[in-house]
Amino acid sequence: MARPESNSLINDRNSMVLTFKDMDPILVSKQVLVDNSSVFAFIILECYQSEHDMTDFTPNVVELFLTVIKDKKVEQIEESVFKDLHHISTVFDVKWLIKSCRDWLLEKNQQCS
């Protein structure tokens, strides 16, 4: 994920700018977002937006979310980020990631039984 200069965002037709409160914006491939998220597909393809406010999430959770959807796999979910990763995947309707998070939770619960 590229970090554009804060005072001169690159106008790239293939990239979405994700903005944060106290951090420089991140450039992300629109295709990766559209391929994984029905919400981003709507924002990008139907609303023609090329920037989205991500201040509801910590930059670390967003970076993890973007890495996971780019790689299309969840290696290991840390217990400390599970809730946030599940939340962001639900907000942006990333169905396969929601399922991966739920499977992780079910497995975790079975280990405790």
Side-chain angles (χ1 to χ4, degrees), residues 20-39:
F20 301 90
K21 182 178 179 185
D22 295 323
M23 190 176 124
D24 289 340
I26 297 175
L27 281 179
V28 182
S29 164
K30 286 181 181 178
Q31 194 62 55
V32 168
L33 296 173
V34 167
D35 287 350
N36 287 281
S37 165
S38 62
V39 173

Side-chain angles (χ1 to χ4, degrees), residues 95-109:
K95 292 186 185 334
W96 69 265
L97 183 52
I98 294 168
K99 183 181 180 324
S100 291
C101 288
R102 288 183 180 160
D103 290 348
W104 177 88
L105 184 60
L106 288 171
E107 185 178 313
K108 182 92 171 132
N109 285 339

Side-chain angles (χ1 to χ4, degrees), residues 74-92:
V74 179
E75 296 274 331
Q76 180 75 17
I77 301 175
E78 298 274 331
E79 200 167 334
S80 60
V81 297
F82 163 76
K83 185 176 177 182
D84 292 329
L85 186 59
H86 183 262
H87 180 238
I88 196 170
S89 65
T90 303
V91 167
F92 292 107

Side-chain angles (χ1 to χ4, degrees), residues 30-74:
K30 286 181 181 178
Q31 194 62 55
V32 168
L33 296 173
V34 167
D35 287 350
N36 287 281
S37 165
S38 62
V39 173
F40 273 117
F42 178 78
I43 290 168
I44 293 166
L45 302 175
E46 302 293 324
C47 299
Y48 306 105
Q49 291 184 9
S50 58
E51 185 174 318
H52 191 72
D53 179 1
M54 298 296 283
T55 56
D56 289 345
F57 306 99
T58 66
N60 289 343
V61 168
V62 174
E63 295 251 7
L64 175 62
F65 172 73
L66 295 173
T67 299
V68 167
I69 65 171
K70 182 177 172 239
D71 295 345
K72 289 210 179 258
K73 63 181 177 180
V74 179

